[in-house]
Amino acid sequence: MISLKQLSYALAVQDEMHFKKAADACNVSQSALSTAITELEKQLGIQIFERNNKQVLVTPAGQVLLKTAQNIKLQVDDLYKLSQMNKLPLSTPMNIGVIPTIGPYLLPKVLPDVRKQYPNFKLHLVEDQSHVLVDKVRKGDLDCAILALPYDIEGLMAFEFWQEDFYWVSHKDECPSNLQEISSKDMKIERLMLLKDGHCLKDHALAACSFNEHNNNADFNSTSLNTLIQMVVGKLGTTLVPEMALDQLIHTESELRAVHLNEPGPHRRLAFIIRPNYGGTKNIEILMDIFKAQLSLIKTK
């Protein structure tokens, strides 16, 4: 009989493309993993992997098998989640992904109340870019992920819990003291600094302003909002920051001013993304309620 363990081992080899690393990821010896996969190949009568001392390759037949194995693993995982639904809320561990332009600014605002209400809840967080997290949710490596929309999540479901606008951040010496709103046509595009390609915040900022991607200041692309803020402090340009991040990014910077971007919004929407058959939607709904409550309190301050 083919076992779920054999399929899991084979999927680990596909992920790592290395038998020793796959064995370490599965917390088994390399010999045990190799034996299980060899037995799987014998049972199925096909070769899944080509391997030698230098590399591991997936055969064409192996690619078809592993795609099916991934679906089986997801269904078993979701079956387990369904079996947990009658237990207390947030009583089972969750793996949640979050993008870098949300995690540092959202989580400190909401996690204290999550811990207060559910002290035994075990949460493992993974921070990465949107395309990586979407792939991990599809593969079942994550229960869900927190992304900023719009973003391509074909085949997945989104549960939106917050909306926000962007603020234009400038050095106070370069911003009129009475300015309360600013439109994209009033910004100097050549002075605007944004995150580097691959960060969806850049795409959302450009879309909010109806700017062509090639118009932004390519000499000052960054991987961090904190870095961009420090460059604004140094009068190297201006930037756009989501409302959620304002209090942490500029509260100690008396040299800066934040002005609301007066363009049709919301400029980005925050959401949990899950697989359609994910069995833990009740837990997602609980987290969303807590997130909404805490973010609403901050917005009214």
Side-chain angles (χ1 to χ4, degrees), residues 52-263:
N52 55 39
N53 292 331
K54 293 184 178 180
Q55 64 179 350
V56 175
L57 298 175
V58 182
T59 66
Q63 291 176 0
V64 175
L65 179 140
L66 291 171
K67 184 176 182 180
T68 302
Q70 183 67 56
N71 291 333
I72 292 171
K73 181 178 180 295
L74 285 176
Q75 290 175 9
V76 172
D77 289 345
D78 289 340
L79 183 64
Y80 175 76
K81 291 292 190 307
L82 284 170
S83 73
Q84 306 301 308
M85 290 186 68
N86 291 328
K87 295 186 176 181
L88 293 174
L90 298 181
S91 60
T92 56
M94 288 184 67
N95 297 315
I96 299 180
V98 61
I99 59 175
T101 56
I102 291 180
Y105 315 108
L106 169 68
L107 299 179
K109 295 175 172 63
V110 299
L111 287 188
D113 203 56
V114 173
R115 295 295 185 200
K116 180 180 178 180
Q117 295 189 41
Y118 301 94
N120 297 321
F121 176 46
K122 295 181 180 179
L123 173 63
H124 175 64
L125 292 166
V126 176
E127 185 178 78
D128 217 319
Q129 293 188 20
S130 298
H131 70 279
V132 176
L133 298 181
V134 167
D135 184 59
K136 286 182 178 293
V137 172
R138 286 198 178 111
K139 291 167 61 178
D141 295 335
L142 293 173
D143 292 291
C144 62
I146 302 171
L147 301 187
L149 303 179
Y151 192 81
D152 182 12
I153 58 167
E154 184 180 357
L156 301 175
M157 296 176 61
F159 288 81
E160 188 175 320
F161 64 88
W162 196 247
Q163 299 178 345
E164 63 180 352
D165 284 349
F166 288 117
Y167 280 72
W168 178 70
V169 179
S170 169
H171 194 281
K172 67 178 184 180
D173 292 345
E174 302 174 351
C175 176
S177 59
N178 61 344
L179 187 66
Q180 300 298 320
E181 301 274 339
I182 189 169
S183 64
S184 57
K185 65 181 178 63
D186 295 323
M187 283 190 274
K188 295 180 180 179
I189 301 176
E190 66 277 7
R191 295 277 292 163
L192 185 63
M193 303 178 295
L194 298 174
L195 296 176
K196 66 184 297 186
D197 290 341
H199 290 269
C200 60
L201 183 66
K202 175 182 178 180
D203 298 329
H204 293 154
L206 291 172
C209 297
S210 299
F211 286 160
N212 185 291
E213 183 175 2
H214 300 292
N215 287 339
N216 73 304
N217 191 341
D219 293 335
F220 292 102
N221 284 343
S222 171
T223 60
S224 152
L225 285 175
N226 283 293
T227 300
L228 287 178
I229 289 297
Q230 292 309 309
M231 294 166 77
V232 176
V233 172
K235 298 185 179 181
L236 296 178
T238 65
T239 193
L240 290 169
V241 170
E243 181 181 10
M244 180 183 296
L246 280 178
D247 59 340
Q248 288 175 245
L249 289 174
I250 70 171
H251 76 286
T252 60
E253 302 294 348
S254 59
E255 299 298 301
L256 300 182
R257 284 206 62 212
V259 177
H260 179 251
L261 176 63
N262 188 11
E263 296 291 345

Side-chain angles (χ1 to χ4, degrees), residues 4 22 46 48 108 118 140 142 276:
L4 185 61
I46 64 171
I48 303 172
Y118 301 94
L142 293 173

